[in-house]
Amino acid sequence: MRSILVRYHEVALKKGNRPYFVELLKRNLASSVRGLGLKEIKNLPGRLLLLFDEKADREEISDRVRRVFGVANFSLVESTSRDLEILKSKILASLDARHFNSFRIVTKRGDKDFPLTSPEINREIGAVVKERSGARVDLKNAELTISIEILPRNAYFGFDKIVGAGGLPVGTSGRAVSLISGGIDSPVAAYRMMQRGSQLAFVHFHSTPYLDKTSQEKVRELVKLLTRHQFFSRLYLVPFGEIQRQIVASVLRPLRVIFYRRMMMRIAEAIARKERADALVTGESLAQVASQTLKNLSVIEKATTLMVLRPLVGMDKQEIINQARKIGTFETSTIPDQDCCQLFVPRHPATKAELVDVEKAESRLDLAALTQFGAENAEVEEFKFPA
Ligand code: ATP
Ligand code: MG
């Protein structure tokens, strides 16, 4: 049977939270490999063992497990008898095709009644590996680590550790609503929140028919990419053009972007209620553009009573771009589109909005009606991974 040994960081597992964390990690791992022949997930101390049927595609399994948050690292392992002679010969046979100058063996016993201790097993197996390969033992910087797990009925061994996505299992840190624009920043912000364990719903504001539909198509693709990490997503596509037209009719040009943003916050808050979410997430980064000065950000967030989380606030554009490339969203984000915030706005928006001015101008609008219009007319789409 083909198997994967998943290791998670214990630091995150303080006291009573541990079973909850492990349950969600198991659930998420099972979701991620759906359709790939998973038979069972076994709990081991600090680790999980995923057992697959014979035909399971290891490449595909690794690819999926690599994206599951909460996984520190994992290894592909072979199942074998606990008989030490059989274990030795299997390990030697699997090592024949490998070249390495140094190695170490790390044994863990899930069965403390096994006649040999872990260091004894390390020594016995180490001796034959050393003899066959000519490589030296190096406990600190080994080129090859051989991991062995002794369980009550059988044993497992494997060689390489694949680095996982880290963070916490999605679902362990509540729910939030992510405002996603189709640009570079907001998908990275969403990723960082999911990595901290939040389950996200997505909201996108579009200005069709005043602008074309590219931003919606991009956002669908981005949500699809991000859903690989949380397995289910809901996307709300809010028709914003009509609301913008009303804002434009009563608000002077320099403040329009601030108004758009405040309206977005209100509508996202209404959607967060439906989603039972506790926070809004944006891709704003301090002073990146005129609408993101400290003053403007603070005026924008006063439109909602929800906490506004901005995981990118202290990041440089280049750092954000690097992460977008790494998580695979950059290419989609850089397809040219027509962003709703470009509609009816000046090239030089206000950088120092004052709340009193904004509130005064807003009093000419029926904010509750506009909010309701946006939230109720949103089209809702659902995404699943694997599809
Ligand atoms: P991004 O690359 O995420 O679009 P940006 O640097 O272009 O960010 P802005 O266009 O000022 O910045 O938007 C700031 C944030 O406001 C975005 O990161 C996003 O969270 C939210 N936002 C902007 N436009 C939209 C939209 N059309 N739909 C949903 N959220 C939006
Ligand atoms: Mg943008």
Side-chain angles (χ1 to χ4, degrees), residues 22-44:
V22 174
E23 263 330 292
L24 284 180
L25 181 58
K26 283 167 77 174
R27 181 198 73 182
N28 292 350
L29 282 165
S31 300
S32 81
V33 298
R34 204 169 62 216
L36 299 182
L38 178 68
K39 293 192 128 167
E40 193 192 343
I41 302 184
K42 278 183 193 291
N43 270 324
L44 306 178

PDB file of all heavy atoms in Angstrom, residues 22-44:
ATOM      1  N   VAL A  22      -6.045  18.824  14.764  1.00  0.00           N
ATOM      2  CA  VAL A  22      -5.726  17.583  14.044  1.00  0.00           C
ATOM      3  C   VAL A  22      -6.941  17.095  13.251  1.00  0.00           C
ATOM      4  O   VAL A  22      -6.817  16.657  12.114  1.00  0.00           O
ATOM      5  CB  VAL A  22      -5.209  16.493  15.013  1.00  0.00           C
ATOM      6  CG1 VAL A  22      -5.011  15.170  14.297  1.00  0.00           C
ATOM      7  CG2 VAL A  22      -3.902  16.941  15.656  1.00  0.00           C
ATOM      8  N   GLU A  23      -8.138  17.224  13.828  1.00  0.00           N
ATOM      9  CA  GLU A  23      -9.346  16.818  13.108  1.00  0.00           C
ATOM     10  C   GLU A  23      -9.518  17.607  11.822  1.00  0.00           C
ATOM     11  O   GLU A  23      -9.807  17.048  10.770  1.00  0.00           O
ATOM     12  CB  GLU A  23     -10.594  17.028  13.998  1.00  0.00           C
ATOM     13  CG  GLU A  23     -11.063  15.798  14.731  1.00  0.00           C
ATOM     14  CD  GLU A  23     -10.770  14.492  14.009  1.00  0.00           C
ATOM     15  OE1 GLU A  23     -11.396  14.265  12.952  1.00  0.00           O
ATOM     16  OE2 GLU A  23      -9.923  13.701  14.469  1.00  0.00           O
ATOM     17  N   LEU A  24      -9.322  18.935  11.915  1.00  0.00           N
ATOM     18  CA  LEU A  24      -9.488  19.755  10.711  1.00  0.00           C
ATOM     19  C   LEU A  24      -8.388  19.470   9.699  1.00  0.00           C
ATOM     20  O   LEU A  24      -8.635  19.466   8.496  1.00  0.00           O
ATOM     21  CB  LEU A  24      -9.525  21.245  11.065  1.00  0.00           C
ATOM     22  CG  LEU A  24     -10.860  21.696  11.671  1.00  0.00           C
ATOM     23  CD1 LEU A  24     -10.826  23.177  12.005  1.00  0.00           C
ATOM     24  CD2 LEU A  24     -12.008  21.432  10.703  1.00  0.00           C
ATOM     25  N   LEU A  25      -7.192  19.217  10.190  1.00  0.00           N
ATOM     26  CA  LEU A  25      -6.106  18.881   9.264  1.00  0.00           C
ATOM     27  C   LEU A  25      -6.443  17.582   8.521  1.00  0.00           C
ATOM     28  O   LEU A  25      -6.265  17.486   7.303  1.00  0.00           O
ATOM     29  CB  LEU A  25      -4.779  18.751  10.021  1.00  0.00           C
ATOM     30  CG  LEU A  25      -3.567  18.422   9.154  1.00  0.00           C
ATOM     31  CD1 LEU A  25      -3.350  19.481   8.070  1.00  0.00           C
ATOM     32  CD2 LEU A  25      -2.300  18.294  10.014  1.00  0.00           C
ATOM     33  N   LYS A  26      -6.972  16.607   9.251  1.00  0.00           N
ATOM     34  CA  LYS A  26      -7.344  15.342   8.616  1.00  0.00           C
ATOM     35  C   LYS A  26      -8.458  15.550   7.596  1.00  0.00           C
ATOM     36  O   LYS A  26      -8.406  15.035   6.489  1.00  0.00           O
ATOM     37  CB  LYS A  26      -7.813  14.330   9.689  1.00  0.00           C
ATOM     38  CG  LYS A  26      -6.662  13.719  10.454  1.00  0.00           C
ATOM     39  CD  LYS A  26      -7.139  12.979  11.682  1.00  0.00           C
ATOM     40  CE  LYS A  26      -7.732  11.617  11.361  1.00  0.00           C
ATOM     41  NZ  LYS A  26      -8.048  10.878  12.610  1.00  0.00           N
ATOM     42  N   ARG A  27      -9.444  16.336   8.004  1.00  0.00           N
ATOM     43  CA  ARG A  27     -10.558  16.598   7.080  1.00  0.00           C
ATOM     44  C   ARG A  27     -10.038  17.265   5.799  1.00  0.00           C
ATOM     45  O   ARG A  27     -10.400  16.894   4.689  1.00  0.00           O
ATOM     46  CB  ARG A  27     -11.575  17.521   7.782  1.00  0.00           C
ATOM     47  CG  ARG A  27     -12.795  17.846   6.947  1.00  0.00           C
ATOM     48  CD  ARG A  27     -13.523  19.066   7.477  1.00  0.00           C
ATOM     49  NE  ARG A  27     -12.802  20.290   7.190  1.00  0.00           N
ATOM     50  CZ  ARG A  27     -13.187  21.511   7.570  1.00  0.00           C
ATOM     51  NH1 ARG A  27     -14.274  21.653   8.289  1.00  0.00           N
ATOM     52  NH2 ARG A  27     -12.494  22.580   7.258  1.00  0.00           N
ATOM     53  N   ASN A  28      -9.144  18.267   5.971  1.00  0.00           N
ATOM     54  CA  ASN A  28      -8.639  18.994   4.814  1.00  0.00           C
ATOM     55  C   ASN A  28      -7.748  18.117   3.936  1.00  0.00           C
ATOM     56  O   ASN A  28      -7.794  18.203   2.704  1.00  0.00           O
ATOM     57  CB  ASN A  28      -7.873  20.246   5.263  1.00  0.00           C
ATOM     58  CG  ASN A  28      -8.797  21.283   5.898  1.00  0.00           C
ATOM     59  OD1 ASN A  28     -10.014  21.150   5.837  1.00  0.00           O
ATOM     60  ND2 ASN A  28      -8.219  22.299   6.521  1.00  0.00           N
ATOM     61  N   LEU A  29      -6.946  17.273   4.574  1.00  0.00           N
ATOM     62  CA  LEU A  29      -6.112  16.357   3.785  1.00  0.00           C
ATOM     63  C   LEU A  29      -7.005  15.418   2.973  1.00  0.00           C
ATOM     64  O   LEU A  29      -6.768  15.189   1.786  1.00  0.00           O
ATOM     65  CB  LEU A  29      -5.193  15.543   4.703  1.00  0.00           C
ATOM     66  CG  LEU A  29      -3.965  16.288   5.229  1.00  0.00           C
ATOM     67  CD1 LEU A  29      -3.332  15.538   6.397  1.00  0.00           C
ATOM     68  CD2 LEU A  29      -2.925  16.491   4.118  1.00  0.00           C
ATOM     69  N   ALA A  30      -8.048  14.904   3.629  1.00  0.00           N
ATOM     70  CA  ALA A  30      -8.954  13.988   2.922  1.00  0.00           C
ATOM     71  C   ALA A  30      -9.622  14.707   1.749  1.00  0.00           C
ATOM     72  O   ALA A  30      -9.730  14.162   0.649  1.00  0.00           O
ATOM     73  CB  ALA A  30     -10.000  13.437   3.887  1.00  0.00           C
ATOM     74  N   SER A  31     -10.033  15.985   1.964  1.00  0.00           N
ATOM     75  CA  SER A  31     -10.640  16.743   0.857  1.00  0.00           C
ATOM     76  C   SER A  31      -9.642  16.930  -0.268  1.00  0.00           C
ATOM     77  O   SER A  31      -9.983  16.795  -1.436  1.00  0.00           O
ATOM     78  CB  SER A  31     -11.079  18.132   1.312  1.00  0.00           C
ATOM     79  OG  SER A  31     -12.006  18.045   2.338  1.00  0.00           O
ATOM     80  N   SER A  32      -8.403  17.231   0.094  1.00  0.00           N
ATOM     81  CA  SER A  32      -7.419  17.573  -0.943  1.00  0.00           C
ATOM     82  C   SER A  32      -7.122  16.379  -1.850  1.00  0.00           C
ATOM     83  O   SER A  32      -6.881  16.553  -3.022  1.00  0.00           O
ATOM     84  CB  SER A  32      -6.128  18.118  -0.327  1.00  0.00           C
ATOM     85  OG  SER A  32      -5.308  17.060   0.110  1.00  0.00           O
ATOM     86  N   VAL A  33      -7.149  15.172  -1.315  1.00  0.00           N
ATOM     87  CA  VAL A  33      -6.791  14.006  -2.147  1.00  0.00           C
ATOM     88  C   VAL A  33      -8.030  13.232  -2.606  1.00  0.00           C
ATOM     89  O   VAL A  33      -7.916  12.079  -3.009  1.00  0.00           O
ATOM     90  CB  VAL A  33      -5.808  13.062  -1.409  1.00  0.00           C
ATOM     91  CG1 VAL A  33      -4.511  13.790  -1.104  1.00  0.00           C
ATOM     92  CG2 VAL A  33      -6.419  12.492  -0.129  1.00  0.00           C
ATOM     93  N   ARG A  34      -9.167  13.896  -2.545  1.00  0.00           N
ATOM     94  CA  ARG A  34     -10.398  13.200  -2.944  1.00  0.00           C
ATOM     95  C   ARG A  34     -10.255  12.625  -4.361  1.00  0.00           C
ATOM     96  O   ARG A  34      -9.754  13.292  -5.259  1.00  0.00           O
ATOM     97  CB  ARG A  34     -11.586  14.154  -2.881  1.00  0.00           C
ATOM     98  CG  ARG A  34     -12.909  13.422  -2.704  1.00  0.00           C
ATOM     99  CD  ARG A  34     -14.040  14.359  -2.386  1.00  0.00           C
ATOM    100  NE  ARG A  34     -14.223  15.290  -3.486  1.00  0.00           N
ATOM    101  CZ  ARG A  34     -14.567  16.558  -3.329  1.00  0.00           C
ATOM    102  NH1 ARG A  34     -14.757  17.062  -2.148  1.00  0.00           N
ATOM    103  NH2 ARG A  34     -14.728  17.335  -4.379  1.00  0.00           N
ATOM    104  N   GLY A  35     -10.663  11.386  -4.521  1.00  0.00           N
ATOM    105  CA  GLY A  35     -10.577  10.759  -5.840  1.00  0.00           C
ATOM    106  C   GLY A  35      -9.248  10.091  -6.124  1.00  0.00           C
ATOM    107  O   GLY A  35      -9.056   9.513  -7.189  1.00  0.00           O
ATOM    108  N   LEU A  36      -8.304  10.157  -5.188  1.00  0.00           N
ATOM    109  CA  LEU A  36      -6.980   9.581  -5.458  1.00  0.00           C
ATOM    110  C   LEU A  36      -6.742   8.262  -4.710  1.00  0.00           C
ATOM    111  O   LEU A  36      -5.611   7.806  -4.617  1.00  0.00           O
ATOM    112  CB  LEU A  36      -5.874  10.595  -5.104  1.00  0.00           C
ATOM    113  CG  LEU A  36      -5.899  11.904  -5.895  1.00  0.00           C
ATOM    114  CD1 LEU A  36      -4.729  12.796  -5.498  1.00  0.00           C
ATOM    115  CD2 LEU A  36      -5.858  11.641  -7.398  1.00  0.00           C
ATOM    116  N   GLY A  37      -7.789   7.643  -4.183  1.00  0.00           N
ATOM    117  CA  GLY A  37      -7.617   6.311  -3.590  1.00  0.00           C
ATOM    118  C   GLY A  37      -7.185   6.296  -2.128  1.00  0.00           C
ATOM    119  O   GLY A  37      -6.535   5.351  -1.686  1.00  0.00           O
ATOM    120  N   LEU A  38      -7.586   7.330  -1.379  1.00  0.00           N
ATOM    121  CA  LEU A  38      -7.260   7.338   0.056  1.00  0.00           C
ATOM    122  C   LEU A  38      -8.083   6.266   0.777  1.00  0.00           C
ATOM    123  O   LEU A  38      -9.290   6.150   0.573  1.00  0.00           O
ATOM    124  CB  LEU A  38      -7.592   8.709   0.655  1.00  0.00           C
ATOM    125  CG  LEU A  38      -7.356   8.847   2.169  1.00  0.00           C
ATOM    126  CD1 LEU A  38      -5.872   8.780   2.499  1.00  0.00           C
ATOM    127  CD2 LEU A  38      -7.951  10.151   2.694  1.00  0.00           C
ATOM    128  N   LYS A  39      -7.400   5.449   1.606  1.00  0.00           N
ATOM    129  CA  LYS A  39      -8.131   4.396   2.329  1.00  0.00           C
ATOM    130  C   LYS A  39      -8.338   4.754   3.789  1.00  0.00           C
ATOM    131  O   LYS A  39      -9.358   4.462   4.373  1.00  0.00           O
ATOM    132  CB  LYS A  39      -7.350   3.085   2.255  1.00  0.00           C
ATOM    133  CG  LYS A  39      -7.296   2.541   0.849  1.00  0.00           C
ATOM    134  CD  LYS A  39      -6.780   1.147   0.869  1.00  0.00           C
ATOM    135  CE  LYS A  39      -7.689   0.201   0.127  1.00  0.00           C
ATOM    136  NZ  LYS A  39      -7.026  -1.088  -0.096  1.00  0.00           N
ATOM    137  N   GLU A  40      -7.329   5.382   4.388  1.00  0.00           N
ATOM    138  CA  GLU A  40      -7.409   5.618   5.825  1.00  0.00           C
ATOM    139  C   GLU A  40      -6.397   6.681   6.228  1.00  0.00           C
ATOM    140  O   GLU A  40      -5.352   6.829   5.586  1.00  0.00           O
ATOM    141  CB  GLU A  40      -7.051   4.295   6.524  1.00  0.00           C
ATOM    142  CG  GLU A  40      -7.385   4.262   7.998  1.00  0.00           C
ATOM    143  CD  GLU A  40      -6.758   3.066   8.712  1.00  0.00           C
ATOM    144  OE1 GLU A  40      -6.345   2.099   8.029  1.00  0.00           O
ATOM    145  OE2 GLU A  40      -6.673   3.113   9.943  1.00  0.00           O
ATOM    146  N   ILE A  41      -6.706   7.417   7.297  1.00  0.00           N
ATOM    147  CA  ILE A  41      -5.713   8.317   7.889  1.00  0.00           C
ATOM    148  C   ILE A  41      -5.490   7.862   9.324  1.00  0.00           C
ATOM    149  O   ILE A  41      -6.432   7.794  10.116  1.00  0.00           O
ATOM    150  CB  ILE A  41      -6.171   9.787   7.875  1.00  0.00           C
ATOM    151  CG1 ILE A  41      -6.464  10.240   6.438  1.00  0.00           C
ATOM    152  CG2 ILE A  41      -5.112  10.680   8.508  1.00  0.00           C
ATOM    153  CD1 ILE A  41      -6.843  11.717   6.309  1.00  0.00           C
ATOM    154  N   LYS A  42      -4.257   7.529   9.647  1.00  0.00           N
ATOM    155  CA  LYS A  42      -3.934   7.077  10.998  1.00  0.00           C
ATOM    156  C   LYS A  42      -3.299   8.220  11.776  1.00  0.00           C
ATOM    157  O   LYS A  42      -2.435   8.926  11.269  1.00  0.00           O
ATOM    158  CB  LYS A  42      -2.899   5.944  10.938  1.00  0.00           C
ATOM    159  CG  LYS A  42      -3.462   4.564  10.664  1.00  0.00           C
ATOM    160  CD  LYS A  42      -2.288   3.580  10.729  1.00  0.00           C
ATOM    161  CE  LYS A  42      -2.624   2.213  10.162  1.00  0.00           C
ATOM    162  NZ  LYS A  42      -3.570   1.466  10.983  1.00  0.00           N
ATOM    163  N   ASN A  43      -3.712   8.362  13.039  1.00  0.00           N
ATOM    164  CA  ASN A  43      -3.092   9.353  13.929  1.00  0.00           C
ATOM    165  C   ASN A  43      -1.834   8.774  14.553  1.00  0.00           C
ATOM    166  O   ASN A  43      -1.902   7.744  15.203  1.00  0.00           O
ATOM    167  CB  ASN A  43      -4.033   9.602  15.112  1.00  0.00           C
ATOM    168  CG  ASN A  43      -4.994  10.724  14.846  1.00  0.00           C
ATOM    169  OD1 ASN A  43      -4.637  11.703  14.191  1.00  0.00           O
ATOM    170  ND2 ASN A  43      -6.193  10.603  15.351  1.00  0.00           N
ATOM    171  N   LEU A  44      -0.711   9.464  14.401  1.00  0.00           N
ATOM    172  CA  LEU A  44       0.501   9.082  15.134  1.00  0.00           C
ATOM    173  C   LEU A  44       0.888  10.316  15.936  1.00  0.00           C
ATOM    174  O   LEU A  44       0.424  11.408  15.642  1.00  0.00           O
ATOM    175  CB  LEU A  44       1.631   8.714  14.164  1.00  0.00           C
ATOM    176  CG  LEU A  44       1.328   7.656  13.105  1.00  0.00           C
ATOM    177  CD1 LEU A  44       2.541   7.468  12.208  1.00  0.00           C
ATOM    178  CD2 LEU A  44       0.955   6.346  13.770  1.00  0.00           C
TER     179      LEU A  44
END
